[in-house]
Amino acid sequence: MPNKPPITFDVVAREGEARAGLLTTRRGEIETPVFMPVGTAGTVKGIRFEALETELDARIILGNTYHLWLRPGIDVIKRCGGLHRFIGWQRPLLTDSGGFQVWSLGDLRKISEEGTEFRSHLDGSLQFLSPEVSMQVQAVLGSDIVMAFDECAEGNASPDVARASMELTARWAQRSRVEFDRLQANGADTGRTDKNENLSGDQALFGIVQGASHVELRSESLARTTDVGFDGYAIGGLSVGEEKSVMWQVVDAVAPEMPSDKPRYLMGVGTPEDLLKAVSRGIDMFDCVLPTRNGRTGQAFTSRGKVNVKNAQWAVDTKPLDETCECSVCRRHSRAYLRHLHQSGEMLAGMLLTHHNLAFFLDTMRGVRQSIRSGEFTKFRQAFTEKLNEGEQQNALIDA
Ligand SMILES: [Zn+2]
């Protein structure tokens, strides 16, 4: 192990289990709790990097190993100098391991001890992903935070199936660690930077807790993952179709037991209410496709609940999407105009809604961080939830 760590994490304020922290990476500082916009194929769909950097001030975005590995492929990215240079984004990047995407292929995949064989969703070609391959791909991508290669069980997996999957994930975590360390020592990481003298300049590696809906398996998974030793820890395999109550049982049981001096990441979650609830359980990092994906289908997240711009209700409504939002979309455009764009199939509709949705998620997290720092998170969450519920009730009346 190098003397200097690849990242540092300091908790600067607490309120109950909720914590505000500072995550320092080789490419800059990230205040937590943080929401990471998802940039699947090297793009956060529908928004330019300038807007992410300046107006929205997103400090970190996520890239998908599976997608980038299949297209454009690691040869292209390597020859273009790594993912940061290839896409033109110099702030921190986190890449997932590909495990989740392969899992979501369903019957197209075959799992063995060695790894997962599957057919590419692009051309049907036979591919093989393993802990070693995933670490090699993520080294070429040069992301600042790398995720260990895991196996995700179905949300409703039986105890036996969930145990086998969790144990495989534990063995793959160890193999990920070994291969990752070998690659760092060999200089395979294209994203290396030595600007911060307190950091090693290496990539950071996060481990993932699995075990489906079974709390005792989750606890065992956490113990085995922390035994391997990672720079941060994630809860994976949630928000995959299980009941919400099951997800919270797992988060309630696992989050407080995760190492308190390392960042805690809840993968693939969630709605704004989910984010606040998870923060109250001690989670620091989130990613979710909701703001971007729903933006493309005409749904806006607002402080008064979801607004569907398709509704005829908004045809001549000159108000912004969210009267309390200060984003450039809400300052300039009306619901009526956004509805018109959406109904006309204009690409600007998806772009503007994506921009507002990301602004809303990132502003909400900014408010969360400030409120934890000032000891007013509980109050903030209560006011946020009340306003949201009141708005949702009014929207329901309109829809009816
Ligand atoms: Zn807005």
Side-chain angles (χ1 to χ4, degrees):
M1 292 288 285
N3 294 328
K4 293 180 196 167
I7 55 171
T8 58
F9 181 67
D10 298 299
V11 174
V12 296
R14 285 176 198 275
E15 185 180 328
E17 290 287 331
R19 42 210 229 147
L22 190 64
L23 171 60
T24 306
T25 75
R26 60 188 186 179
R27 278 192 167 71
E29 291 182 339
I30 301 158
E31 289 182 33
T32 64
V34 64
F35 179 81
M36 303 182 282
V38 178
T40 305
T43 155
V44 179
K45 285 190 205 304
I47 189 161
R48 291 185 61 176
F49 289 111
E50 286 86 343
L52 286 169
E53 280 170 2
T54 53
E55 190 188 324
L56 302 182
D57 195 22
R59 296 294 176 93
I60 177 168
I61 62 173
L62 189 140
N64 283 119
T65 291
Y66 168 88
H67 289 283
L68 294 163
W69 177 47
L70 293 181
R71 186 172 59 193
I74 53 173
D75 290 342
V76 169
I77 293 176
K78 194 173 188 175
R79 287 168 67 176
C80 293
L83 189 58
H84 290 93
R85 278 198 203 137
F86 180 60
I87 69 174
W89 170 263
Q90 289 307 325
R91 292 187 177 187
L93 280 168
L94 179 147
T95 45
D96 68 359
S97 68
F100 180 77
Q101 257 82 26
V102 173
W103 172 79
S104 59
L105 293 172
D107 294 339
L108 294 171
R109 78 200 193 283
K110 210 170 96 189
I111 298 161
S112 65
E113 182 65 34
E114 191 52 33
T116 307
E117 194 178 72
F118 63 95
R119 296 223 171 250
S120 160
H121 74 285
L122 294 176
D123 59 8
S125 62
L126 202 57
Q127 305 282 346
F128 183 74
L129 198 53
S130 67
E132 290 76 19
V133 174
S134 176
M135 294 305 107
Q136 288 156 15
V137 173
Q138 293 184 76
V140 170
L141 296 176
S143 51
D144 306 293
I145 299 175
V146 168
M147 299 305 297
F149 188 65
D150 61 330
E151 215 276 302
C152 182
E154 300 283 342
N156 58 1
S158 68
D160 287 352
V161 170
R163 166 162 289 283
S165 169
M166 182 276 283
E167 291 183 347
L168 185 61
T169 291
R171 293 191 293 276
W172 284 0
Q174 179 63 37
R175 279 168 54 190
S176 294
R177 176 87 254 178
V178 169
E179 178 66 4
F180 175 89
D181 290 341
R182 187 188 73 80
L183 290 162
Q184 297 302 310
N186 290 353
D189 159 27
T190 64
R192 200 180 164 78
T193 159
D194 298 308
K195 281 184 197 136
N196 188 323
E197 59 186 19
N198 297 316
L199 302 178
S200 64
D202 288 349
Q203 294 177 292
L205 180 61
F206 281 21
I208 304 177
V209 175
Q210 289 287 356
S213 61
H214 307 283
V215 167
E216 66 293 346
L217 290 179
R218 289 279 179 175
S219 299
E220 190 179 333
S221 177
L222 175 62
R224 294 178 71 161
T225 312
T226 48
D227 276 352
V228 175
F230 292 96
D231 303 303
Y233 295 90
I235 304 178
L238 289 179
S239 213
V240 292
E242 79 283 359
E243 294 285 325
K244 272 259 165 108
S245 60
V246 171
M247 175 172 109
W248 292 116
Q249 276 166 23
V250 170
V251 173
D252 283 348
V254 176
E257 302 301 319
M258 295 169 88
S260 60
D261 60 341
K262 298 276 162 64
R264 301 163 171 171
Y265 169 23
L266 182 57
M267 302 181 81
V269 175
T271 64
E273 307 94 287
D274 289 339
L275 302 186
L276 268 64
K277 195 166 174 177
V279 165
S280 78
R281 269 72 170 170
I283 300 292
D284 309 302
M285 300 170 71
F286 304 90
D287 78 282
C288 191
V289 295
L290 276 180
T292 41
R293 180 180 291 165
N294 292 20
R296 296 197 298 282
T297 58
Q299 191 179 61
F301 289 87
T302 79
S303 57
R304 299 182 61 80
K306 295 187 214 53
V307 169
N308 201 324
V309 297
K310 275 173 271 192
N311 286 354
Q313 172 75 22
W314 315 125
V316 291
D317 195 315
T318 56
K319 291 195 297 295
L321 279 174
D322 188 335
E323 284 175 294
T324 56
C325 178
E326 290 175 3
C327 87
S328 54
V329 176
C330 289
R331 283 202 308 265
R332 184 182 286 257
H333 300 299
S334 65
R335 293 182 176 197
Y337 178 60
L338 293 167
R339 177 172 189 273
H340 157 70
L341 291 178
H342 185 81
Q343 297 303 89
S344 313
E346 289 291 337
M347 73 163 97
L348 190 60
M351 292 166 66
L352 295 181
L353 284 167
T354 296
H355 184 108
H356 161 78
N357 281 348
L358 284 174
F360 180 66
F361 272 61
L362 293 166
D363 280 346
T364 299
M365 296 311 274
R366 216 165 277 131
V368 164
R369 292 192 294 267
Q370 280 163 5
S371 70
I372 298 172
R373 283 170 185 253
S374 60
E376 291 175 320
F377 173 63
T378 307
K379 215 191 282 177
F380 175 91
R381 189 182 161 205
Q382 202 172 2
F384 183 92
T385 310
E386 269 169 24
K387 194 173 168 191
L388 200 73
N389 291 342
E390 191 189 282
E392 291 274 12
Q393 273 163 20
Q394 282 178 359
N395 292 345
L397 290 177
I398 291 165
D399 286 343

